[in-house]
Amino acid sequence: MKGPLDYLARWPLRLWLGLVGAFLYLPLLALVVFSFNDSRRITVWRGFSLRWYAELFDDGELVAAFGNSLVIAATSTIISLILGTLAALLLWRFRFAGKAPLEALLGLPIVVPEICLGVAFLVFFTAIVPWPTELPWPLNLGAIIIAHATFSFSFVALVVRARLASFDGALAEAARDLGAGEWLIFRDIMVPHMVPGLVAGALLAFTLSLDDFVITFFTSGPDTITFPIKVYSMVRFSVTPAVNAASTLLILLTAGLTALALWLQGADIAKQAA
Amino acid sequence: MTKGSPIIRFEGVSKRYGKVVAVDAVDLEVREGEFFALLGPSGCGKTTLLRMLAGFEVPSEGRILIDGQDVTNVPPNKRPVNMVFQNYAVFPHMSVADNVGYGLKVDGVGGAERARRVEEALALVKLDGLGSRRPDQLSGGQRQRVALARALVKRPRVLLLDEPLSALDAKLREAMRTELCQLQAQVGITFVMVTHDQDEALALADRCAVMNRGLLQQVASPSDLYEFPASRFVADFIGSVNMLEGALVVDEPDHAEVAVPGIDLPVFLDHGVTGAAGTTLWLALRPEKIELHKATPAPPALGDAPAGRNAVAGTITHVAYLGSESLYEVTLPDGQKLKALRSNLTRWDQEDFALGENVWLAWHACSPAVLLS
């Protein structure tokens, strides 16, 4: 019997796969390769060097921007994880008037164009609720954190909601039958079931926040530059391999986190199967 | 409390979902230490009754008492009963030992004591040494044992079992029947089981309640249910039956006669019926209580019936060889079909009843069960 992968044995499909792969990953590969280029000119290869990476770490503004990005990503992940999980639980557990509109509203930040969200936050944080800019770090990042949590919590809610759909209600009943109250059922039975969804949701939230440009662009000020914004401004002044190096670091970080999450989930599955 | 005194009492318990009546004014007592089965077709209300006993459903009307205590509104986690769920509901993220110990942990039973009781419970269900396994490493039968141990370890007053054997394959089901019986005798806890499988109920239970459409039809021992059914529904639901509709023609204290269309002489019964002449009633005649005889000019005479009675001629229209026995379908001249069951006592049949053969069917005067509804 032919498995799905056997079709790869046919050469037109292999060719197609190769082309798709090339179009997707060659630009990234070029970016990474040229980050090690020992030349000012971005297009001419003059030998291997790590000088652009060294330059990155010497650039105080870039390091600060990177720190900002990490703090924003971590904080907005925690906020959206809590809010998203609560929203998912609410929608899974209860039936109430207005549930369908609420469920639709929850997906709104995902489908609304980012530029609109960005403008909306700009108006909101300047005209309606101005976020004080003179607060000490990292409190001055509050506006960006709120903006990020607003769109990433939708992703968390959707992922956790999908995970909850596969929850067997008999497990909760069994725990209740054995003497557990609502809190113990939640802690001992529901949360362990939700873990893969929580991990996936947190990861999504973190990477979305880390590489968000559009919304951040509208909510950041001169003292609250994030990594993507900083890279953008570097490109505007001069396209040096330092930009490549910065981008490579960003790719490494997001790819690494994704791999980590996949590995965690894989380990979980392997543990159950072992 | 002594064995045989009531431990569970349903008093006029009803459960309605909107307009649907799932359980209709049930009065029922389950006795201490017995293996009790709730039996009925799907949707008859037996599972709802069990879930009300567990506390997952609250009765619309009536009271439920356990050990004389009104538990009608007591939540499931505060009742002295534990349940084995239909698909076992073993916690997938916990080891076998953690599953079994969960109820004790919730109750605050400490480490050493808990470990000891978990070991005991695992030994009871013959899962010794498997405590560190994860549920997905277990077979269906083993998962069921985990569910049993998890419920029994809490030493409940009553163990509830929801279709405990339905998810197992046929061979394993037979083996588990015996084991459940032994387990119940060993722990001495009252078992209440829900099943739609009449064989299972007859084989396991001390007493059964047969339900249909939310109503309790009959509560009796398995043999009484089978031999003395209270209604056509029970007679038909439990085992296989030939149902003959007839009219009462003679009713004396020591015998009665019932005219059945298609049978020449009235059917003779060796007991009175107490009904007015002409009353419509039904005779439930089990296939194994009908004898097959070779066609001869005169009908065979069976011990307690007058000559010529309780016999009817027909033609064999179907033979099903079942191994230990054979089921014959005999068609009477008026088209009625009767089933007769013969044990295959010898390895090849001397009499050799064959398809298309004309035969006599005969039964004893005590064999038909008389039903008024």
Side-chain angles (χ1 to χ4, degrees):
Chain A
M1 214 182 98
K2 270 181 184 287
L5 288 176
D6 288 341
Y7 289 96
L8 286 181
R10 301 184 187 172
W11 73 265
L13 284 167
R14 281 186 173 200
L15 183 70
W16 182 247
L17 191 71
L19 284 174
V20 170
F23 275 105
L24 274 178
Y25 294 111
L26 268 184
L28 283 179
L29 191 69
L31 176 104
V32 173
V33 168
F34 279 96
S35 74
F36 298 106
N37 193 3
D38 187 14
S39 163
R40 271 224 149 261
R41 304 266 303 278
I42 202 160
T43 47
V44 182
W45 180 260
R46 280 190 47 194
F48 183 83
S49 156
L50 288 174
R51 60 186 261 223
W52 300 112
Y53 287 90
E55 200 161 292
L56 279 187
F57 289 103
D58 289 340
D59 184 340
E61 277 183 37
L62 193 70
V63 171
F66 191 65
N68 284 347
S69 271
L70 284 184
V71 169
I72 292 165
T75 320
S76 70
T77 296
I78 291 168
I79 294 171
S80 56
L81 200 57
I82 294 169
L83 291 180
T85 305
L86 289 178
L89 280 168
L90 175 82
L91 290 171
W92 172 75
R93 179 70 188 269
F94 299 103
R95 248 187 285 175
F96 49 91
K99 178 173 169 172
L102 187 71
E103 217 156 1
L105 272 177
L106 202 62
L108 213 52
I110 297 172
V111 291
V112 167
E114 269 195 274
I115 185 78
C116 303
L117 273 181
V119 172
F121 280 121
L122 178 68
V123 172
F124 183 79
F125 284 120
T126 51
I128 301 174
V129 185
W131 191 266
T133 46
E134 63 281 2
L135 284 173
W137 192 88
L139 290 179
N140 57 351
L141 302 172
I144 306 177
I145 290 171
I146 290 171
H148 283 196
T150 306
F151 69 82
S152 56
F153 116 95
S154 291
F155 287 90
V156 174
L158 285 182
V159 171
V160 175
R161 175 87 176 78
R163 178 67 192 167
L164 279 172
S166 67
F167 182 73
D168 178 6
L171 293 179
E173 283 191 344
R176 198 159 163 69
D177 184 66
L178 292 168
E182 293 289 343
W183 163 245
L184 287 182
I185 294 173
F186 179 72
R187 193 193 68 186
D188 296 342
I189 313 298
M190 304 278 313
V191 169
H193 177 81
M194 290 193 296
V195 160
L198 295 177
V199 171
L203 195 89
L204 259 176
F206 193 84
T207 45
L208 281 171
S209 164
L210 201 61
D211 68 5
D212 178 74
F213 177 80
V214 180
I215 291 171
T216 318
F217 187 73
F218 284 96
T219 40
S220 63
D223 300 325
T224 55
I225 300 290
T226 67
F227 194 68
I229 305 272
K230 177 67 187 165
V231 170
Y232 174 69
S233 68
M234 283 162 73
V235 172
R236 283 206 304 176
F237 289 120
S238 64
V239 186
T240 65
V243 174
N244 287 17
S247 309
T248 303
L249 283 183
L250 197 58
I251 292 172
L252 214 63
L253 193 69
T254 47
L257 280 172
T258 311
L260 179 74
L262 287 176
W263 179 75
L264 279 175
Q265 282 177 282
D268 188 46
I269 292 163
K271 201 165 61 178
Q272 279 179 15
Chain B
M1 227 182 245
T2 53
K3 180 157 176 152
S5 56
I7 181 168
I8 300 166
R9 190 202 294 271
F10 290 91
E11 289 179 355
V13 170
S14 295
K15 179 68 183 178
R16 282 182 291 272
Y17 298 100
K19 281 185 177 172
V20 182
V21 183
V23 171
D24 197 354
V26 165
D27 288 295
L28 180 64
E29 273 186 7
V30 177
R31 298 172 194 150
E32 173 96 34
E34 76 177 338
F35 199 137
F36 194 88
L38 291 166
L39 178 64
S42 56
C44 71
K46 57 189 191 299
T47 304
T48 307
L49 205 59
L50 190 81
R51 289 176 59 82
M52 285 196 282
L53 195 50
F56 295 122
E57 309 280 349
V58 177
S60 312
E61 263 166 49
R63 299 201 303 162
I64 298 172
L65 293 97
I66 299 175
D67 273 338
Q69 301 270 313
D70 187 343
V71 297
T72 314
N73 293 305
V74 175
N77 45 338
K78 303 242 159 59
R79 293 194 184 198
V81 301
N82 285 111
M83 183 147 156
V84 175
F85 288 79
Q86 186 167 9
N87 292 312
Y88 317 139
V90 173
F91 305 134
H93 57 283
M94 293 186 197
S95 70
V96 168
D98 286 347
N99 260 282
V100 176
Y102 185 72
L104 298 177
K105 192 172 141 199
V106 167
D107 287 352
V109 177
E113 159 84 352
R114 186 163 82 225
R116 191 181 58 73
R117 280 174 67 178
V118 166
E119 274 307 305
E120 249 175 47
L122 285 176
L124 192 67
V125 297
K126 298 177 184 148
L127 283 179
D128 334 44
L130 295 186
S132 59
R133 290 274 185 96
R134 301 197 61 96
D136 47 16
Q137 296 169 269
L138 302 178
S139 68
Q142 287 172 321
R143 268 203 284 278
Q144 183 183 45
R145 285 159 194 268
V146 174
L148 270 169
R150 187 175 69 178
L152 284 172
V153 78
K154 292 204 64 176
R155 297 175 187 153
R157 294 286 291 135
V158 182
L159 183 76
L160 310 177
L161 302 119
D162 186 6
E163 303 270 3
L165 305 180
S166 63
L168 303 177
D169 59 60
K171 244 336 190 223
L172 193 57
R173 206 177 316 167
E174 294 255 320
M176 272 315 283
R177 270 186 203 166
T178 322
E179 221 173 292
L180 266 183
C181 264
Q182 289 168 348
L183 187 66
Q184 199 258 342
Q186 200 178 341
V187 295
I189 291 172
T190 310
F191 279 26
V192 177
M193 170 179 79
V194 154
T195 181
H196 67 277
D197 182 339
Q198 34 131 340
D199 288 340
E200 198 171 297
L202 297 189
L204 283 169
D206 297 318
R207 290 195 310 144
C208 300
V210 180
M211 291 186 73
N212 190 31
R213 296 179 183 178
L215 290 164
L216 213 52
Q217 301 287 320
Q218 189 174 3
V219 182
S221 69
S223 61
D224 280 359
L225 277 185
Y226 188 77
E227 305 293 2
F228 302 94
S231 63
R232 276 181 293 161
F233 175 81
V234 175
D236 198 39
F237 186 72
I238 309 280
S240 169
V241 74
N242 295 297
M243 198 66 75
L244 304 171
E245 186 175 337
L248 191 61
V249 287
V250 174
D251 186 20
E252 299 291 333
D254 65 337
H255 77 279
E257 293 178 27
V258 177
V260 175
I263 299 176
D264 294 341
L265 293 171
V267 174
F268 185 88
L269 302 167
D270 69 351
H271 57 85
V273 174
T274 62
T279 311
T280 300
L281 43 73
W282 292 268
L283 302 177
L285 198 47
R286 301 285 183 193
E288 74 279 5
K289 294 184 174 63
I290 299 185
E291 293 180 9
L292 273 175
H293 292 273
K294 290 281 178 185
T296 50
L302 291 186
D304 47 5
R309 298 298 189 93
N310 295 1
V312 63
T315 309
I316 297 180
T317 47
H318 187 73
V319 182
Y321 177 75
L322 305 173
S324 61
E325 51 213 5
S326 295
L327 184 66
Y328 298 87
E329 183 194 84
V330 175
T331 306
L332 308 188
D334 71 342
Q336 248 188 105
K337 290 175 167 50
L338 294 183
K339 287 170 286 181
L341 197 65
R342 272 180 94 236
S343 285
N344 294 322
L345 297 172
T346 51
R347 289 178 60 207
W348 53 89
D349 197 341
Q350 311 298 324
E351 295 191 89
D352 191 24
F353 287 99
L355 199 63
E357 196 174 339
N358 291 320
V359 291
W360 283 103
L361 296 177
W363 55 91
H364 288 267
C366 62
S367 291
V370 180
L371 306 172
L372 298 169
S373 65

